[in-house]
């Protein structure tokens, strides 16, 4: 079946069937290689987790009731429109006929396989053009092929006239109209766009019948190229030097500007140096074009569907293979391993610690690897297609999740003789601000040194435990790499500013003491931060939950309150309020200084439970036009979550702080604007009272206690606390200490601006 542009119309975002090995209908269409767009009829698009899962696979999700779906249809130009329910056909039918006349509309997903896969002619044809189109069509397709020739007519009366022209032409070609492949006569309003699969009239000649399929290659190597042309050239040069074994196909996966996925024919790819004529080439490489925003999983699926090879090796951007890497990987998969990987940066796969963190293995490690880095993976096409479509970082490192899935299907293995390196990165300083967490330091330092850190600065922020002694031992263990500076003023912003001053390099990579970098983190962050125009970089933050953490806790979407950053597996440019999180946060030193450094007023610190200092910097970087903020999937860390935070009370207090921070950021950027603050306070009050009926004279402490006592879901409780925090902060920032909201008189105090619920003076 040919690949289709499919538009799905549903009332809400459909979820997978529950098991990653049994994906939902949209995931199945993606796995088959189709281009899928989802139109949601309702104003609420459903579960955030489901939306993220689909967007991670490259599915564009649009909220578009019938009156607003026209622009989506014209932009997507679907071959097929799948209506999730029959009554949606009545609602969306007029728009489909007007804006996508060539699309076939079906109810349910079962009819997709029988959908005609090719449409021809996007305008009315002359007799000569019509004869050529019919001759070419009949010569290219068999009677039972699921392919349609669509011939446009301007009005219903024109259909009879066109049929009268077709019958004698078919007779002259030796065909009975009742015994030919599907020919459809379709009303085609003037100016209506053709489906994406349409081929212009006259594009077929009668001798265009497809040639016999060539034999399938033994394996395929798919290289997902970096977006930067210079970096792509380095990776291509490394691939060219490998001299792939016979019977191995080479695919080059690259993005596009227009978002139109397409598979180009065989072509020659020029490289910068090394051949006799100064232009070495990768002969016969095929380019697979990825849509804008394609992530890792979508690229893997596109690679699998672009080849008939039974085994596919996928190289991620910046992964540089060394000669001979392919054959051992292919052989390992042929022996029955689910996923095979090479030796990367001297490490032989990964071990997964009890807390879920990833540890590089050396040749001396006796146990088998539990996971593999994503830089280079080999598997059968069946394994690639069956693997989980979405690996959410709320459930831990994706590498560990994929390793656990593979453990029941042949396991993972490192192939002896296969070696891949990572593209070198510019020098950077890694900064760890710490206060009274001496026990966290040995592991994070050990992992950073294993990652290749060469300037690692510990900033002891007035600790009263044995941080100084632990730091001294780490300096002795890693001479010339680990240093320690002391910042006696308590507060994370003071410590971060001290780290920036002490760093040897201009690329500043901040990581929390309870964070654990994943493989390739250092190179990915440094490379991206060194790109022209980029000043701020972060990446995924995977949850490393306590051992007895309930699997379904917290509700989906609330993991962000534990500094878990879930954005799918595609790189992206972010604009505030969309930001990267401080546990995994990098900045150029000159940009940080131009933005005014970290602001101690935001915290956190002793007596100041609110966060927001790095968010404040991100806003200033953006407002002053200093450069872009980038989210990079390969720049991932895990975040160890304190067991003391596994409570609904923590969620409420943390969301209270988020609401307070939002109002404070507005004033820090734009000053005190009573009109804006009054407007924001009114909206926050409306949100709060939509969850709780409050009356009488209450303090902010009373409101939070009422939220905690109310029979609210976790999500509703956090939304209510967020609204209470924003309301209180807006009132205080206007210089007031109370707000009257109907029967409610809310009293607030200055200490509430820091998120503190107990007055430190009164206490």
């Amino acid at each position: 079946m040919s690949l289709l542009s499919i538009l799905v119309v549903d009332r809400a975002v459909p979820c997978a069937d529950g098991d990653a090995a049994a994906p939902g209908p949209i995931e199945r269409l993606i796995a088959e290689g189709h281009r899928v767009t989802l139109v949601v009829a309702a104003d609420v698009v459903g579960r955030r987790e489901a939306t993220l899962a689909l967007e991670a696979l490259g599915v564009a999700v649009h909220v578009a009731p019938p009156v607003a779906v026209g622009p989506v249809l014209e932009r997507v130009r679907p071959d097929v429109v799948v209506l999730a329910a029959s009554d949606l056909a009545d609602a969306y039918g007029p728009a489909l006929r007007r804006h996508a006349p060539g699309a076939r509309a079906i109810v349910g997903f079962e009819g997709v396989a029988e959908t005609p896969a090719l449409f021809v002619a996007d305008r009315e044809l002359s007799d000569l053009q019509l004869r050529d189109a019919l001759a070419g069509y009949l010569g290219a397709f068999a009677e039972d092929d699921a392919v349609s020739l669509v011939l446009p007519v301007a009005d219903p009366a024109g259909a009879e006239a066109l049929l009268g022209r077709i019958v004698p032409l078919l007779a002259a070609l030796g065909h009975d109209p009742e015994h030919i492949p599907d020919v459809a006569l379709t009303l085609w309003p003037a100016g209506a766009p053709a489906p994406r699969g349409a081929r212009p009239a006259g594009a077929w000649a009668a001798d265009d019948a497809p040639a016999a399929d060539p034999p399938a290659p033994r394996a395929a190597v798919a290289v997902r190229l970096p977006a930067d042309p210079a970096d792509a050239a380095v990776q291509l040069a490394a691939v060219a030097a490998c001299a792939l074994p016979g019977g191995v196909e080479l695919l080059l996966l690259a993005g596009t500007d227009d978002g139109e996925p397409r598979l180009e024919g065989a072509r020659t790819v020029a490289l910068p140096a090394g051949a006799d004529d100064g232009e070495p080439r990768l002969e016969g490489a095929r380019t697979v074009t990825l849509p804008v925003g394609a992530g890792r999983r979508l690229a893997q699926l596109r690679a699998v569907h672009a080849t008939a090879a039974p085994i596919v090796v996928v190289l991620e951007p910046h992964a540089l293979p060394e000669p001979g890497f392919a054959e051992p990987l292919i052989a390992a998969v042929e022996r029955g391993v689910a996923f095979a990987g090479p030796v990367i940066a001297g490490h032989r796969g990964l071990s997964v610690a009890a807390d879920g963190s990833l540890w590089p293995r050396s040749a001396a490690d006796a146990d088998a690897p539990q996971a593999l880095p994503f830089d280079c993976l080999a598997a059968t096409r069946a394994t690639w297609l069956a693997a989980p479509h979405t690996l959410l970082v709320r459930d831990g490192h994706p590498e560990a999740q994929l390793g656990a899935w593979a453990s029941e299907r042949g396991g993972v293995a490192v192939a002896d003789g296969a070696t891949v390196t990572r593209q070198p990165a510019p020098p950077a300083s890694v900064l760890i601000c710490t206060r009274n967490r001496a026990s966290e330091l040995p592991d994070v330092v050990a992992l950073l040194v294993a990652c290749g850190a060469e300037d690692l600065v510990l900033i002891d922020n007035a600790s009263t435990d044995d941080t100084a002694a632990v730091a001294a031992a780490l300096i002795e263990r890693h001479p010339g790499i680990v240093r320690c500076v002391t910042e006696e003023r308590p507060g994370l912003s003071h410590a971060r500013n001290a780290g920036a001053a002490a760093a040897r390099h201009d690329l500043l990579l901040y990581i929390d003491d309870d964070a654990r970098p994943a493989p390739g983190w250092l190179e990915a962050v440094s490379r991206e931060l060194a790109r022209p125009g980029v000043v701020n970089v972060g990446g995924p933050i995977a949850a490393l939950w306590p051992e007895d953490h309930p699997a379904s806790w917290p509700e989906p979407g609330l993991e962000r309150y534990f500094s878990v950053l879930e954005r799918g597996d595609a790189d992206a440019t972010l604009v505030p309020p969309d930001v990267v999180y401080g546990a995994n946060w990098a900045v150029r030193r000159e940009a940080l200084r131009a933005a005014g450094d970290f602001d101690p007023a935001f915290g956190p610190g002793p007596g100041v439970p609110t966060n927001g200092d790095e968010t404040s910097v991100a806003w200033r970087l953006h407002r002053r036009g200093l450069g872009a903020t980038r989210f990079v999937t390969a720049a991932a860390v895990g975040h160890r979550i304190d067991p003391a935070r596994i409570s609904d009370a923590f969620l409420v207090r943390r969301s209270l702080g988020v609401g307070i921070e939002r109002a404070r950021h507005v004033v820090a950027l734009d000053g005190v604007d009573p009109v804006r603050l009054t407007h924001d306070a009114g909206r926050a009050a409306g949100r709060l009272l939509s969850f709780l009926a409050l009356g009488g004279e209450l303090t902010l402490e009373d409101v939070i206690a009422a939220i905690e006592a109310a029979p609210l879901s976790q999500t509703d409780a956090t939304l209510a606390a967020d609204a209470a925090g924003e309301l209180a902060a807006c009132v205080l920032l206007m210089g007031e200490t109370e707000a009257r909201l109907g029967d409610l008189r809310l009293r607030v105090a200055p200490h509430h601006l820091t998120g503190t619920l107990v007055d430190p003076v009164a206490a």
Side-chain angles (χ1 to χ4, degrees):
M1 182 174 64
S2 299
L3 302 187
L4 304 173
S5 173
I6 300 175
L7 185 137
V8 178
V9 180
D10 207 339
R11 290 189 180 83
V13 177
C15 300
D17 296 344
D19 182 353
I26 290 183
E27 287 91 336
R28 286 194 289 271
L29 293 176
I30 287 290
E32 292 169 2
H34 302 297
R35 182 177 185 270
V36 181
T37 303
L38 174 64
V39 167
V40 181
D43 292 333
V44 179
V45 297
R47 291 175 55 198
R48 176 176 177 271
E49 181 178 350
T51 304
L52 279 172
L54 292 178
E55 290 177 342
L57 294 177
V59 177
V61 180
H62 301 273
V63 178
V67 295
V69 78
V72 178
L73 290 168
E74 293 185 356
R75 183 166 60 253
V76 173
R77 286 182 285 159
D79 300 311
V80 185
V81 176
V82 177
L83 301 156
S86 58
D87 60 325
L88 291 172
D90 295 332
Y92 284 85
L96 293 175
R97 290 188 289 273
R98 184 180 309 112
H99 298 285
R104 181 187 180 201
I106 61 175
V107 177
F109 292 83
E110 291 73 16
V112 173
E114 291 74 38
T115 297
L118 184 64
F119 298 82
V120 180
D122 57 356
R123 55 188 170 84
E124 295 193 52
L125 307 179
S126 68
D127 285 345
L128 181 61
Q129 291 169 332
L130 183 58
R131 183 200 65 189
D132 288 344
L134 287 169
Y137 175 72
L138 294 167
F141 296 101
E143 182 174 343
D144 58 351
D145 283 343
V147 179
S148 277
L149 171 61
V150 177
L151 300 173
V153 293
D155 54 64
E160 185 174 349
L162 179 58
L163 183 60
R165 294 167 57 201
I166 290 174
V167 171
L169 289 173
L170 288 173
L173 293 169
H175 284 272
D176 184 329
E178 298 298 323
H179 299 89
I180 62 171
D182 184 26
V183 177
L185 307 182
T186 301
L187 287 175
W188 206 290
R196 287 189 181 272
R199 298 180 63 181
W204 283 355
D207 60 352
D208 269 353
D213 291 335
R218 177 191 175 203
V221 171
V223 184
R224 186 178 166 214
L225 295 170
D228 183 86
D231 288 346
V234 171
Q235 191 171 30
L236 284 171
V239 173
C242 286
L244 296 178
V248 176
E249 183 179 29
L250 178 60
L251 305 175
L252 305 178
L253 312 179
T256 70
D257 294 329
D258 61 5
E260 170 70 6
R262 54 188 179 270
L263 178 62
E264 300 176 3
R267 59 185 256 179
T268 298
V269 181
L271 295 176
D276 293 339
D277 61 358
E279 290 291 332
R281 293 171 172 84
L282 290 171
E283 300 291 346
R286 287 197 293 129
T287 300
V288 180
T289 307
L290 300 174
V292 171
R296 180 191 300 124
R297 181 58 175 148
L298 180 57
Q300 293 165 350
L301 290 170
R302 286 290 165 87
V304 171
H305 283 286
T307 180
I311 296 173
V312 180
V313 182
V314 180
L315 283 160
E316 284 291 291
H318 308 289
L320 308 181
E322 296 190 2
F325 86 104
E327 182 60 40
L329 292 170
I330 297 168
V333 175
E334 289 176 336
R335 290 193 297 268
V337 171
F339 282 100
V343 176
I344 301 177
H347 298 134
R348 300 178 58 83
L350 305 168
S351 296
V352 182
D355 64 1
S357 56
L358 302 175
W359 288 80
R361 297 176 66 257
S362 70
D365 291 323
D367 296 337
Q370 296 169 279
L372 299 172
F374 286 130
D375 303 70
C376 178
L377 292 175
T380 65
R381 62 184 302 108
T383 298
W384 280 118
L385 294 175
H389 288 298
T390 306
L391 300 170
L392 299 175
V393 297
R394 71 166 277 145
D395 298 322
H397 281 294
E399 294 93 335
Q401 295 180 58
L402 188 63
W405 179 86
S407 66
E408 301 178 359
R409 297 163 177 85
V412 301
V414 175
D416 290 329
T419 303
V420 168
T421 61
R422 297 189 178 103
Q423 198 161 324
S429 293
V430 181
L431 309 174
I432 306 174
C433 301
T434 188
R435 177 180 170 82
N436 292 334
R437 283 183 172 176
S439 62
E440 296 283 5
L441 297 179
D443 278 358
V444 66
V445 168
L447 276 173
L448 287 167
V449 172
C451 282
E454 296 180 351
D455 181 35
L456 203 167
V457 184
L458 304 175
I459 302 94
D460 182 354
N461 189 207
S463 296
T464 57
D465 64 356
D466 57 349
T467 291
V470 171
L474 291 170
I475 292 170
E476 183 178 0
R477 190 179 307 160
H478 307 288
I481 297 176
V482 178
R483 297 182 289 135
C484 184
V485 298
T486 300
E487 172 53 67
E488 294 294 346
R489 293 173 296 176
L492 182 56
S493 295
H494 292 304
R496 284 173 166 168
N497 287 332
R504 293 191 182 118
H505 304 296
D506 290 330
L507 303 183
L508 309 178
L509 279 53
Y510 289 93
I511 184 170
D512 280 2
D513 51 15
D514 55 359
R516 302 292 182 262
W521 171 81
L522 181 66
E523 295 95 336
V525 175
S526 302
R527 271 194 311 265
E528 193 70 17
L529 193 56
R531 287 181 56 200
V534 177
V535 296
N536 184 206
V537 174
I541 303 177
L544 304 181
W545 299 104
E547 188 174 356
D548 57 354
H549 158 256
S552 60
W553 192 97
E555 293 176 1
L558 301 184
E559 61 277 353
R560 65 185 183 274
Y561 292 118
F562 300 90
S563 297
V564 174
L565 181 54
E566 180 79 76
R567 286 196 54 88
D569 65 356
D571 296 354
T573 297
L574 307 184
V575 175
D578 204 1
V579 296
V580 292
Y581 293 176
N584 181 12
W585 197 91
V587 67
R588 292 195 192 192
R589 178 156 47 192
E590 67 272 18
L592 176 62
R593 288 174 175 168
D597 296 326
F598 293 97
D599 184 354
F602 276 98
V608 183
T610 54
N611 295 315
D613 57 344
E614 77 277 355
T615 302
S616 176
V617 172
W619 271 106
R620 284 178 271 138
L621 292 170
H622 171 64
R623 285 288 191 91
R624 300 177 189 184
L626 296 172
T629 292
R630 291 280 293 164
F631 172 86
V632 181
T633 307
V637 306
H639 182 225
R640 283 168 44 85
I641 297 169
D642 190 333
R645 296 185 174 186
I646 308 300
S647 70
D648 291 351
F650 172 81
L651 282 169
V652 168
R653 303 305 170 95
R654 181 68 189 91
S655 55
L656 169 73
V658 169
I660 293 169
E661 292 160 28
R662 188 182 307 112
R664 294 184 61 196
H665 284 310
V666 170
V667 170
L669 290 167
D670 299 322
V672 175
D673 179 351
V675 174
R676 168 73 183 273
L677 289 170
T678 300
H679 174 266
D680 291 349
R683 293 184 60 184
R687 296 199 311 273
L688 172 62
L689 296 177
S690 70
F691 294 105
L692 292 172
L694 298 172
E697 183 174 317
L698 300 177
T699 64
L700 183 59
E701 287 82 355
D702 295 329
V703 171
I704 296 302
I707 292 172
E708 292 177 332
L712 299 174
S713 68
Q714 282 183 337
T715 299
D716 287 350
T718 59
L719 291 173
D722 179 293
E726 185 173 11
L727 171 60
C730 287
V731 172
L732 288 164
L733 290 167
M734 287 188 289
E736 305 292 337
T737 57
E738 70 173 48
R740 291 187 177 274
L741 310 167
D743 295 333
L744 171 64
R745 179 187 176 192
L746 175 65
R747 291 190 292 108
V748 292
H751 61 272
H752 291 146
L753 268 181
T754 67
T756 305
L757 288 181
V758 178
D759 187 346
V761 175

